[in-house]
Amino acid sequence: MDGDGSDSPVTIKNIERELICPACKELFTHPLILPCQHSICHKCVKELLLTLDDSFNDVGSDNSNQSSPRLRLPSPSMDKIDRINRPGWKRNSLTPRTTVFPCPGCEHDVDLGERGINGLFRNFTLETIVERYRQAARAATAIMCDLCKPPPQESTKSCMDCSASYCNECFKIHHPWGTIKAQHEYVGPTTNFRPKILMCPEHETERINMYCELCRRPVCHLCKLGGNHANHRVTTMSSAYKTLKEKLSKDIDYLIGKESQVKSQISELNLLMKETECNGERAREEAITHFEKLFEVLEERKSSVLKAIDSSKKLRLDKFQTQMEEYQGLLENSGLVGYAQEVLKETDQSCFVQTAKQLHLRIQKATESLKSFRPAAQTSFEDYVVNTSKQTELLGELSFFSTGIDVPEINEEQSKVYNNALINWHHPEKDKADSYVLEYRKINRDDEMSWNEIEVCGTSKIIQDLENSSTYAFRVRAYKGSICSPCSRELILHTPPAPVFSFLFDEKCGYNNEHLLLNLKRDRVESRAGFNLLLAAERIQVGYYTSLDYIIGDTGITKGKHFWAFRVEPYSYLVKVGVASSDKLQEWLRSPRDAVSPRYEQDSGHDSGSEDACFDSSQPFTLVTIGMKKFFIPKSPTSSNEPENRVLPMPTSIGIFLDYDKGKVNFYDMDQMKCLYERQVDCSHTLYPAFALMGSGGIQLEEPITAKYLEYQEDM
């Protein structure tokens, strides 16, 4: 079986790098061949599947998006793996449900299909080479007999049919002459036992006799007749063996023929490594020198600033001390008052007058100071606060000399956040950059979050799995070889307060195709009020009311938190947006011209003029008015209801946040993710996104940010 055993131990030991499993970083143990043609230990495949399966379950239970299948996760217990390895295990117990995982070798996703691990071939060739390596590594370590009574003897041969090793005596006993066992195939002592014939993992009773050129794997005739390879091009095993062996031999001969070139390049690489070591040390010393110069400048400025502060502090304290001593002199029996009391004891009039005049002026001055007390100096040192913001920013951008690589600039107009974040940037010298690194992090007041990095080849990227109701910072830098540009200025974006709710306009329920025009994608509606209204103009008299044309979303909400956004065209005359319950919508759509309209209903909470009586009542709908490039805040008992305080500029994009469980709806300015208005809403029935238009107007639903969205933006 080991027909190529002439390889020297030195050759075997030199190929250790090829015998290491990419998952466990140890020598292969029962390696399996993945669909991507890389090999991985049998045990490692099970550990990967079980670990990913557990991580997905944790994500589902915690309702979190923080896990990633490419993260290195703790391995499952050996007890759990052993239970899967036992015969009779069932798929509904501890069997990993996940069949897709990233190959540790190439990181491409591998799908094992319905059969899972059972559908993979063992790499017996690799297993044999690993066994040779083990034997060469342990050299004098003997393989003991499996059948000897203790103490076991050293084995002399191994039976490939029995998958056991024997000493001479035990082999004679268990393989007597004249029996079938005497015809078993035996080799030198080994621990690597492989079957004589490879069987199909999908049809376990069929032997492998063909090779699928499309899937690059051996198959049986049943796989070709009616299995997964029915329409694939196959060839005989002997033909595939001959072709692949010829190709491999030619490749090996080519590499051997280039041995002198390889050695020359290895020598060159050694020189480059030494040069890199020297240049790296030199660059390190230069960097230290530059930073030491900065430290000297900072120390000098620090000493100067502290000296100025100390001098000012001493001067102010001296003034306060003098002033305090003067005031202490105004106390009885001390200072100025005590001296004046002693002067009053003088009986000689001329002497008294001579002294008292000056003393009287001093006491008058002290009396005036009591009436208007003023400290002798200021306690604030605001004039001595060092402003280092500009220097801090410059130091933060301190980087290696970019050799002409310009700093990329994030395009704030084309960058946005919705269900995902889309970041676009512009680079003046686009052709000079090999790639870019986009960095982002969540801004947390309490902790300084670390930056996440993504390498990007283009000038835009979609970031997924951001947390709701959070603030993120984004920045980008360009790379040319090993040289990078400084980071761009940070862009701050705010994520929506809840997951994005996807829906389209409903073209059936209440849709008035005479007044409204809906596009084919059903994400844009326009009001065509005009011609029909003019035809009916002869009936319009004083007090005539023109009705609203309603259109709703095609999906209702019965629980949870949801957020959606849209744009109202600037030319729109009057648009109402918000939410409405199913029963209220039926009333509106049945009689749009009756007093059931929100304009006249007492509990509408909007522009009826009678909101004051029902501010706190929970109603089955909430609509706000938008028009003429303005956003109108409904009246409220807790804030000013003056017109100038209720009229805001119309946001470019408007968001609606519905918390069904708490019965609350909020209206947002999407550009700043700022709440403009909040109101309670009755959630006893199914709620729908609701829109109404009067006169000319248009509404465009915000499109979710996906890979297709990015392609569309690039085409634009």
Side-chain angles (χ1 to χ4, degrees), residues 564-578:
W564 61 93
F566 51 88
R567 297 189 302 275
V568 175
E569 295 296 343
Y571 64 80
S572 301
Y573 173 67
L574 190 155
V575 174
K576 284 182 174 287
V577 297

Side-chain angles (χ1 to χ4, degrees), residues 411-455:
N411 190 325
E412 297 186 12
E413 293 183 357
Q414 295 184 7
S415 299
K416 58 185 293 187
V417 65
Y418 192 36
N419 58 320
N420 297 314
L422 170 63
I423 308 299
N424 274 285
W425 59 90
H426 170 68
H427 196 206
E429 300 293 338
K430 184 176 180 181
D431 296 335
K432 288 188 177 181
D434 296 333
S435 62
Y436 302 89
V437 170
L438 175 63
E439 298 181 348
Y440 68 97
R441 69 177 178 183
K442 180 181 176 182
I443 298 177
N444 194 322
R445 293 182 179 178
D446 300 327
D447 302 320
E448 185 73 14
M449 307 292 287
S450 59
W451 289 94
N452 300 289
E453 295 186 352
I454 302 176
E455 186 173 357

Side-chain angles (χ1 to χ4, degrees), residues 615-634:
F615 274 121
D616 299 326
S617 61
S618 184
Q619 58 195 27
F621 67 93
T622 291
L623 299 171
V624 298
T625 303
I626 301 167
M628 301 178 68
K629 299 182 181 181
K630 303 294 182 183
F631 183 96
F632 297 88
I633 301 292

Side-chain angles (χ1 to χ4, degrees), residues 16-32:
E16 179 179 1
R17 181 180 176 184
E18 303 296 326
L19 310 181
I20 300 296
C21 172
C24 63
K25 307 302 180 185
E26 297 178 358
L27 289 175
F28 282 106
T29 304
H30 305 305
L32 301 177

